Amino acid sequence: MSTVRARAPGRVNLIGDHTDYTGGLVLPMAIDLETVVVADRGGDRVVLASVEDDHPADVGLDVADPAAVEPAWARYVAGVVAVVQPSRGLRGHLSTTLPVGAGLSSSAALEVSVALALGFEGSPLALARACQRAEQLASGVPCGIMDQLASAAGVEGHALLIDCSTSTVEPVPLPEGLEVVVVHSGVARRLAGSAYADRRAECEAAEAEIGPLRSATAADVAGLADPVLRRRARHVISENERVRAFAAALAAGHLADLGPLLEASHASLREDFEVTTAELDALAGRLRATPGVLGARMTGAGFGGCVVALTGPGALHEGWQVRAAPGASVVTEG
Ligand code: GLA
């Protein structure tokens, strides 16, 4: 019997939210908080104990409906089993340094680490696609590929400029002395699943009229009759431009340009995409006003969750200070 140890990081998105599922640009980084699975391969079930829950995940290799599995976190394990269709099971345990459900993609880290432990073989992109499908099966949320791809393809010391239309990943070095701090708004994500699906459907409705948002112009967007669709589309095309400008400013070391782009991203997610909350708005404003902070914005899906701040050394003493970490990896013995 072989023993396997697989690790997968969470992620924080620096800029580019609600763009991935329209083939847009995103700039996340894998972080130094991660989930680790240590298990023996064999048998016809995947049984994983977790220090977070008295109830283990216990999933048959023939699982038919991952969304019906209990406890709820085991649905992500079941989703991976359903997609990867391994010939052997696993028995072991998992542990995580990620805050669960805080918007740092603990579910993506769980999926990616379990897929590797099950023996998934393929490129980081193939791994991310399998785990994106697993997340959709487990949660019913039609998520994009950003979280799983950041976890699978992370590069130490770098953010990842991902073009979701071609699925290319370009590592962008993070300048020395730039700190990334993630602070929770104190509000768990509310109605995240249905509101997320609504936003995605609105983007698709806009695309049915004016074609892919990735190549749409401001003039195309102005031609949309429905004011809600117009605002949703305007967010997407302006956010893609901000991601491009942000990556260029990072690469050139123009740190003073980062703050205004973070602020504009947050404003667009608040006004045009309507996925922030009063708590996220207040927190981003407070952090932005703190000496040494270059800028702050909500990160991830919104509807609650976290704000990411970029700062000079030692400016913030709250939340999680995270570093850009390498992507997921696996070691097998015996
Ligand atoms: C969630 C999804 C991602 C992405 C973000 C918003 O994290 O899983 O695919 O759409 O929201 O940018």
Side-chain angles (χ1 to χ4, degrees):
M1 192 179 287
S2 62
T3 299
V4 66
R5 183 180 195 281
R7 53 160 285 279
R11 67 95 185 92
V12 64
N13 189 21
L14 300 183
I15 193 164
D17 272 311
H18 289 282
T19 52
D20 61 349
Y21 48 79
T22 54
L25 300 173
V26 295
L27 191 75
M29 63 185 220
I31 60 177
D32 54 345
L33 299 171
E34 63 183 22
T35 295
V36 176
V37 175
V38 179
D40 294 326
R41 283 192 182 141
D44 60 0
R45 304 194 71 75
V46 174
V47 184
L48 293 171
S50 164
V51 286
E52 306 278 328
D53 193 329
D54 292 341
H55 302 285
D58 185 350
V59 177
L61 294 187
D62 57 354
V63 60
D65 184 5
V69 166
E70 295 290 345
W73 65 269
R75 292 172 194 165
Y76 299 100
V77 176
V80 174
V81 170
V83 173
V84 173
Q85 301 193 324
S87 53
R88 285 184 296 171
L90 280 179
R91 181 170 289 273
H93 62 270
L94 58 90
S95 57
T96 190
T97 51
L98 278 159
V100 173
L104 295 179
S105 293
S106 55
S107 60
L110 174 57
E111 292 144 15
V112 172
S113 58
V114 169
L116 288 177
L118 285 171
F120 181 92
E121 282 178 8
S123 65
L125 178 58
L127 174 61
R129 285 192 171 135
C131 291
Q132 174 192 17
R133 183 77 198 115
E135 170 103 23
Q136 293 175 342
L137 287 176
S139 67
V141 177
C143 66
I145 198 158
M146 170 170 70
D147 306 345
Q148 291 79 13
L149 190 50
S151 180
V155 178
E156 189 169 13
H158 293 66
L160 308 173
L161 176 58
I162 302 175
D163 183 333
C164 298
S165 66
T166 53
S167 303
T168 45
V169 180
E170 187 188 320
V172 179
L174 292 166
E176 221 26 57
L178 184 70
E179 292 186 356
V180 181
V181 180
V182 184
V183 184
H184 201 282
S185 66
V187 180
R189 280 175 293 160
R190 282 178 299 226
L191 293 176
S194 58
Y196 184 98
D198 290 348
R199 294 303 184 281
R200 186 165 178 164
E202 287 162 351
C203 289
E204 282 162 9
E207 293 194 315
E209 282 191 52
I210 61 171
L213 290 179
R214 178 57 194 278
S215 47
T217 63
D220 296 330
V221 170
L224 283 165
D226 181 315
V228 172
L229 298 192
R230 209 154 58 221
R231 283 189 282 120
R232 303 296 188 251
R234 188 168 62 188
H235 164 72
V236 173
I237 69 165
S238 64
E239 186 80 346
N240 284 334
E241 281 168 23
R242 285 186 289 272
V243 173
R244 226 181 249 111
F246 192 97
L250 263 186
H254 294 162
L255 301 191
D257 294 347
L258 302 180
L261 289 166
L262 292 173
E263 192 162 336
S265 171
H266 187 97
S268 180
L269 287 158
R270 183 185 64 226
E271 303 295 327
D272 281 349
F273 221 70
E274 294 179 281
V275 294
T276 72
T277 61
E279 292 84 358
L280 283 168
D281 296 343
L283 176 60
R286 176 171 72 72
L287 296 178
R288 225 176 263 142
T290 306
V293 174
L294 300 173
R297 62 181 282 279
M298 63 147 266
T299 181
F303 314 107
C306 290
V307 166
V308 60
L310 295 190
T311 83
L316 289 176
H317 303 279
E318 59 187 301
W320 299 273
Q321 189 185 320
V322 292
R323 286 172 201 282
S329 56
V330 61
V331 184
T332 309
E333 287 158 16

